[in-house]
Amino acid sequence: MKRVGNLYDKMLDPAVIEWAICEASKGKRHRADVKRVLADMPKHVQRIQDMLTNRTFKPSPYHVFERYDRLNKKTRKIQRPEFFPDQIIHWLVIIATKDIFMRGMYHWNCGSIPGRGIKHGYTAVTRWLRDDKKNTKYTLKMDVKKYYDSVPHDKLMAVIRHKIKDERMISLIQKIIESTEAGIPIGNYTSQWFANIFLESLDHYIKEKLKVKYYVRYIDDMVLFGCNKKELHKARKAIAAFLEAELGLKLKENWQVFKTDSRGVDFLGFVFRRTHIRLRARNFLSLVRQANKVKKKIVGKVAIPYKMAAGLLSRMGQLCHIPSQKIKERYLKGIKINLLKEVIRYESKRLLQPAAV
């Protein structure tokens, strides 16, 4: 692949900087630090432009905290960067490099990429199970051990240098990557892109060297299908060796190889079977709990909080992909989608007027 230069200057355009500020501020416009930036946009655009032109940007210390993920039953370490200037510069880096990072990306890599979310991976698994029973007889499920925390900085920079030859951009990206002692932080907008491109060579290895016909990846969660159990075990061993030798990563020990028809494929929040699809048990339980909380607000004639409305709407969106009439009748009766949407619309309008607050 031909390396690309002249990327850094794209970030110096005031219109692009203003766009990056607006994008970075979404969902945060109630915060005082974000309001200050939006209230005096020209001043902050100029400051960002000066930092980049003079190459004086230095990453600020992270706000470090832990958050318990109830769905996955994991405690995650979050490192949140400052909004100004860090988050804005992270957005500018991705705006300038996104097309380069997308070039050569595996089609069924579906995590945190515009136009390729859960629905993209859902489409792949559904189609393969429905149309090719022979070559989806067995399933291999696996993921990378402590992926974000384990990405080696030197190997990640080598991947980036393979794509980009603009030394100013490489230097800026290196500052962002080396702002943590190890790995890439959950909290940086750049991290989801770096996480995806770092495993790009693995995608090509699985498809081109191992010749796996059906393979889909969501960040570091991988599902492979095959007609032969022994071949999937061989693929798993080869993938583990590739990860360790080429990328400095380790495969998590909880990998599984099983007959697809015996249990279904638990992936992307769903359990896929050839004849039907259902919500993962944890996701279903969250839906029921969120619905009950909203019902209590409605019965008590109390305003529904924005996060509660957004969370339930997100869960209800998953129901579009499965037979859900009985679920709606039993658990969502009395909850009107338009009411939840109105809560979100009101909050969005309120947050779009930060300068007036």
Side-chain angles (χ1 to χ4, degrees):
M1 181 187 295
K2 185 178 180 181
R3 295 193 303 153
V4 178
N6 300 320
L7 296 172
Y8 196 87
D9 289 338
K10 293 181 180 180
M11 300 188 297
L12 303 180
D13 185 339
V16 175
I17 297 173
E18 185 171 335
W19 179 30
I21 292 172
C22 292
E23 290 296 312
S25 69
K26 286 181 178 178
K28 309 164 192 168
R29 294 175 185 175
H30 60 287
R31 285 170 31 184
D33 58 336
V34 178
K35 287 180 181 179
R36 282 195 297 270
V37 174
L38 296 176
D40 194 351
M41 185 76 82
K43 171 187 170 183
H44 290 92
V45 167
Q46 185 63 53
R47 287 182 64 188
I48 291 286
Q49 188 182 47
D50 290 344
M51 274 185 210
L52 292 173
T53 300
N54 300 322
R55 301 175 69 179
T56 56
F57 167 71
K58 292 182 180 179
S60 309
Y62 288 97
H63 298 277
V64 182
F65 57 95
E66 291 187 342
R67 179 175 293 163
Y68 182 69
D69 185 342
R70 292 183 180 178
L71 284 180
N72 296 306
K73 297 182 179 179
K74 295 179 182 177
T75 299
R76 302 188 186 277
K77 178 184 175 184
I78 310 296
Q79 294 172 271
R80 192 187 77 190
E82 293 284 354
F83 176 72
F84 184 91
D86 300 69
Q87 291 185 34
I88 298 164
I89 286 179
H90 295 175
W91 267 89
L92 284 166
V93 167
I94 298 306
I95 288 169
T97 59
K98 181 175 71 173
D99 291 343
I100 310 307
F101 291 161
M102 291 285 290
R103 196 180 297 175
M105 189 175 283
Y106 175 52
H107 181 71
W108 295 117
N109 168 18
C110 57
S112 301
I113 300 167
R116 297 194 202 178
I118 288 175
K119 187 177 180 181
H120 190 68
Y122 175 100
T123 300
V125 177
T126 304
R127 183 190 304 163
W128 298 339
L129 293 181
R130 182 191 64 214
D131 295 345
D132 196 345
K133 187 173 183 179
K134 177 184 175 182
N135 288 304
T136 56
K137 185 176 181 180
Y138 293 98
T139 301
L140 166 59
K141 274 196 68 197
M142 56 189 177
D143 62 333
V144 178
K145 187 174 184 179
K146 296 182 179 178
Y147 180 44
Y148 275 78
D149 293 335
S150 302
V151 174
H153 291 176
D154 57 338
K155 291 183 181 292
L156 176 56
M157 284 306 305
V159 170
I160 290 168
R161 284 183 179 277
H162 186 69
K163 292 176 175 288
I164 297 171
K165 66 179 180 181
D166 186 326
E167 286 300 327
R168 289 178 299 166
M169 179 63 79
I170 288 172
S171 176
L172 177 59
I173 290 174
Q174 189 160 8
K175 283 183 182 180
I176 295 169
I177 289 173
E178 293 181 352
S179 62
T180 54
E181 291 184 5
I184 49 178
I186 299 174
N188 279 5
Y189 178 57
T190 52
S191 291
Q192 62 197 48
W193 286 91
F194 295 160
N196 270 315
I197 65 168
F198 191 58
L199 290 181
E200 186 178 302
S201 60
L202 176 66
D203 296 334
H204 290 287
Y205 177 73
I206 291 172
K207 291 298 293 182
E208 296 163 17
K209 298 294 184 181
L210 301 182
K211 305 293 184 184
V212 175
K213 186 174 183 180
Y214 297 129
Y215 158 62
V216 60
R217 175 166 68 85
Y218 188 89
I219 307 295
D220 67 312
D221 290 331
M222 295 168 273
V223 171
L224 293 75
F225 296 103
C227 62
N228 188 295
K229 193 174 184 178
K230 288 183 180 179
E231 290 300 317
L232 284 181
H233 276 292
K234 285 182 183 178
R236 188 261 307 167
K237 291 177 183 177
I239 289 166
F242 182 92
L243 281 170
E244 193 158 353
E246 300 295 327
L247 301 176
L249 301 171
K250 289 187 177 181
L251 200 63
K252 196 182 288 185
E253 296 84 356
N254 65 347
W255 55 266
Q256 305 167 50
V257 176
F258 56 90
K259 199 169 184 178
T260 305
D261 289 341
S262 68
R263 54 192 278 194
V265 181
D266 188 339
F267 186 54
L268 302 174
F270 299 94
V271 178
F272 295 86
R273 292 188 177 272
R274 298 192 193 280
T275 56
H276 64 280
I277 302 163
R278 64 175 175 82
L279 280 179
R280 179 186 289 163
R282 293 197 299 265
N283 290 28
F284 175 72
L285 183 59
S286 292
L287 170 71
V288 173
R289 286 174 174 168
Q290 287 174 324
N292 288 338
K293 289 178 181 178
V294 169
K295 283 180 182 179
K296 286 181 182 179
K297 297 290 185 184
I298 294 172
V299 171
K301 296 183 179 180
V302 177
I304 301 170
Y306 168 77
K307 286 186 177 180
M308 189 180 291
L312 182 55
L313 262 182
S314 177
R315 293 285 171 213
M316 290 172 72
Q318 291 184 309
L319 298 180
C320 299
H321 303 293
I322 62 173
S324 57
Q325 189 58 37
K326 289 184 179 179
I327 294 175
K328 291 176 181 177
E329 289 174 356
R330 182 170 180 179
Y331 299 104
L332 300 175
K333 191 174 181 180
I335 300 176
K336 295 181 179 179
I337 290 180
N338 286 342
L339 175 62
L340 301 178
K341 288 182 176 179
E342 185 58 37
V343 172
I344 291 169
R345 274 196 295 268
Y346 173 81
E347 183 70 3
S348 298
K349 289 178 182 177
R350 185 180 72 82
L351 296 178
L352 280 171
Q353 301 175 356
V357 177

